[in-house]
Amino acid sequence: MLTTTVCAALSAAGLAVAFLTAYRRRFAAATRIAALSLVPVGLAMSGLLGMFGEIGGAVAAWASDLVFKPTVWAGFGVLAAAFVLYVVGRAAGRRTRAREGGTGSGRGTRRAAESGASRPALGGEGAGGGGGREERPAAGATDADDFSDIEAILKKHGI
């Protein structure tokens, strides 16, 4: 009874994480997380989780449950659904990475490219002195240099 409760709680927590991942529009990862979160409840329903304790009498009891209890069949259905979801999530992840043109992890290279492309130049038009070039702080720059950049931006906008 306690094992079933723990497995249900683990599955519910995993499905909540999958929902949050899907909310961030990472659907392939959310599908894989949902698949892995269904495994504990599938094992508990099918009775495979209880067989690890004692092998002799448990196998005979499980075999008779397999024939007479629909819950065991539903557990195998949940495990099969988890397997299908995992395979679909892996295939969708590979397809997404291939479409983006990345061969690595995808996220690191994509984020690096986005951060460089969307970063506005601090010494842009009308700021003078920069000629449109982006000024980079020296290697030994401190946090005070960063605040002076922010202060210049605020003064530019009249704040």
Side-chain angles (χ1 to χ4, degrees):
M1 185 69 140
L2 180 65
T3 306
T4 306
T5 305
V6 170
C7 288
L10 281 174
S11 292
L15 289 173
V17 170
F19 175 75
L20 291 174
T21 306
Y23 182 74
R24 290 187 223 141
R25 298 198 175 267
R26 296 183 57 212
F27 298 114
T31 305
R32 288 191 306 265
I33 293 170
L36 291 176
S37 67
L38 289 176
V39 170
V41 77
L43 288 174
M45 286 175 67
S46 65
L48 293 175
L49 198 60
M51 285 181 47
F52 294 121
E54 55 185 277
I55 299 297
V59 173
W62 179 77
S64 68
D65 287 346
L66 179 65
V67 174
F68 295 117
K69 287 189 178 177
T71 308
V72 176
W73 288 101
F76 283 115
V78 169
L79 288 174
F83 178 75
V84 168
L85 279 175
Y86 188 77
V87 169
V88 166
R90 291 279 302 217
R94 287 183 183 151
R95 184 175 177 200
T96 302
R97 269 187 258 131
R99 187 173 20 137
E100 291 173 355
T103 57
S105 65
R107 288 193 331 219
T109 56
R110 185 175 65 227
R111 284 186 182 167
E114 287 175 357
S115 66
S118 64
R119 183 181 304 151
L122 295 177
E125 303 165 12
R133 288 188 328 209
E134 182 176 336
E135 296 179 9
R136 298 189 186 261
T142 61
D143 289 336
D145 294 335
D146 292 336
F147 288 119
S148 65
D149 293 340
I150 294 171
E151 187 176 330
I153 292 169
L154 291 175
K155 283 181 182 179
K156 177 182 173 184
H157 292 285
I159 299 175

